[in-house]
């Protein structure tokens, strides 16, 4: 019985690892599709051969064939005529897949998670060194894929749920944001600014200050506020959420999808409490 149980446990774990690696490699195929604009080009074309997709996306045809076939086998794409010679096969996005892979506003838009995975994978050698030395890996070293992946994955929630579900679920906060005098909001860990902009658009009386440790994210956030037409009420600064330079008090301090990424989450919450105006609130939204 012991031998049988041990064998079963080995087999279960081995299969789990094989499945996990297979899934991770398929996700990196999604990363290629997003990064190279292949999904977008295929959605625009409605369906395409390898040559047509390569021409539209500006990618070498032989690599496009490799990607198309892998994506079809994995179930991300459909091939209408697999019996045809490779160069004549037509591929397309199945019904509903465009929302997940291409539509940046859809609540089902999960493709950006592949960018985040690629960013994490890229720093693994540094993480090995950090484990041995006790040091860390700066956020900036994860690069644009992680930064863009996190922002794009979270954006639909801010677009669809922040002002229609999350804040109305806290009536006193919702009412304060709608009332005079104008409420001051501090958005900690604001990233590329989608949450700060959504707050300002939903509550025209409020002013919002976004704080993030990443300089590139803050630059992007400022551009996003200008494009949305709320730059007069939304500003951004580079800073540590646990030690913000601002001494002002705020009626609402938010931490959206960021607390779990912070190096000192307790310090950030302590600072938030200390920056509250009388009757103010701290609101966090994170993974359950």
């Amino acid at each position: 019985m012991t031998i049988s149980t041990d064998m079963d446990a080995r087999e279960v774990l081995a299969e789990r690892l094989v499945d996990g690696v297979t899934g991770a490699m398929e996700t990196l195929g999604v990363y290629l599709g997003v990064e190279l604009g292949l999904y977008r080009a295929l959605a625009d074309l409605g369906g395409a051969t390898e040559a047509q997709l390569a021409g539209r996306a500006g990618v070498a045809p032989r690599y496009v064939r490799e990607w198309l076939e892998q994506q079809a086998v994995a179930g991300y794409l459909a091939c209408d005529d697999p019996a045809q010679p490779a160069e004549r096969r037509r591929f397309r996005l199945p019904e509903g897949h465009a929302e997940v892979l291409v539509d940046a506003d859809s609540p089902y838009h999960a493709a950006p998670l592949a960018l985040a995975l690629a960013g994490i994978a890229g720093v693994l050698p540094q993480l090995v060194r950090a484990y041995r030395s006790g040091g860390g890996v700066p956020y900036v070293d994860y690069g644009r894929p992680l930064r863009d992946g996190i922002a794009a994955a979270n954006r639909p929630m801010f677009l669809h749920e922040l002002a229609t579900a999350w804040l109305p679920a806290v009536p006193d906060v919702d009412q304060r944001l709608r009332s005079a005098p104008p409420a001051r909001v501090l958005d900690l860990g604001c990233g590329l600014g989608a949450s700060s902009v959504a707050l300002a658009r939903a509550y025209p009386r409020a002013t919002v200050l976004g704080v993030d440790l990443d300089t590139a994210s803050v630059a992007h956030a400022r551009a996003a506020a200008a494009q949305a037409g709320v730059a007069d009420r939304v500003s951004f600064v580079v800073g540590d959420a646990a030690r913000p330079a601002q001494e002002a008090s705020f009626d609402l301090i938010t931490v959206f999808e960021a607390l779990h990424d912070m190096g000192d989450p307790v310090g950030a919450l302590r600072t938030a409490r200390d920056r509250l105006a009388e009757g103010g609130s701290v609101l966090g939204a994170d993974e359950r």
Side-chain angles (χ1 to χ4, degrees), residues 13-279:
L13 183 56
E15 288 185 0
R16 176 182 172 186
L17 283 169
V18 170
D19 289 345
V21 170
T22 301
M25 293 180 72
E26 287 182 355
T27 303
L28 294 178
V30 175
Y31 163 78
L32 291 173
V34 174
E35 187 72 6
L36 293 167
L38 293 167
Y39 292 125
R40 169 62 63 187
L42 193 58
D44 291 343
L45 290 168
T49 64
E50 62 182 58
Q52 291 168 335
L53 182 58
R56 184 64 170 257
V59 178
R62 184 63 184 85
Y63 277 93
V64 170
R65 177 190 299 182
E66 198 74 23
W67 181 81
L68 285 168
E69 292 179 350
Q70 179 273 324
Q71 289 281 289
V73 170
Y76 289 95
L77 302 180
C79 178
D80 290 332
D81 44 9
Q84 291 287 337
E87 66 276 5
R88 293 172 57 184
R89 294 174 188 150
R90 290 185 59 81
F91 296 83
R92 59 179 171 81
L93 287 167
E95 182 71 26
H97 285 211
E99 271 198 72
V100 177
L101 299 170
V102 178
D103 186 353
D105 291 346
S106 171
Y108 298 101
H109 187 49
L113 295 174
L115 299 179
L117 176 65
I120 292 168
V123 301
L124 285 178
Q126 291 170 258
L127 190 58
V128 170
R129 292 194 292 272
Y131 263 71
R132 288 174 174 151
S133 68
V137 180
Y139 181 77
V140 67
D141 289 359
Y142 288 83
R144 181 187 56 78
L146 181 68
R147 183 172 68 244
D148 288 355
I150 291 175
N154 290 336
R155 180 179 176 277
M157 291 189 297
F158 300 142
L159 187 65
H160 298 295
E161 300 181 49
L162 180 57
T164 61
W166 297 359
L167 287 164
V170 193
D172 55 334
V173 172
D174 180 68
Q175 182 59 38
R176 176 64 188 92
L177 292 172
R178 299 182 187 281
S179 305
R184 289 176 49 84
V185 181
L186 176 63
D187 190 16
L188 296 176
C190 64
L192 272 60
S195 54
S196 304
V197 169
L199 280 163
R201 296 181 73 171
Y203 300 98
R205 290 178 180 267
T207 61
V208 184
L209 173 64
V211 176
D212 199 275
L213 198 61
D214 183 54
T215 302
S217 295
V218 168
H220 191 289
R222 288 169 178 160
Q227 184 176 10
V230 294
D232 59 326
R233 294 185 294 112
V234 182
S235 57
F236 298 94
V237 296
V238 177
D240 187 335
R243 293 180 292 276
Q246 294 71 32
E247 296 297 331
S249 59
F250 296 87
D251 301 289
L252 175 64
I253 299 177
T254 59
V255 191
F256 294 129
E257 287 288 334
L259 193 65
H260 65 269
D261 289 323
M262 292 180 179
D264 183 11
V266 174
L269 291 173
R270 183 179 294 115
T271 298
R273 181 190 60 193
D274 292 344
R275 292 290 189 275
L276 285 179
E278 184 177 353

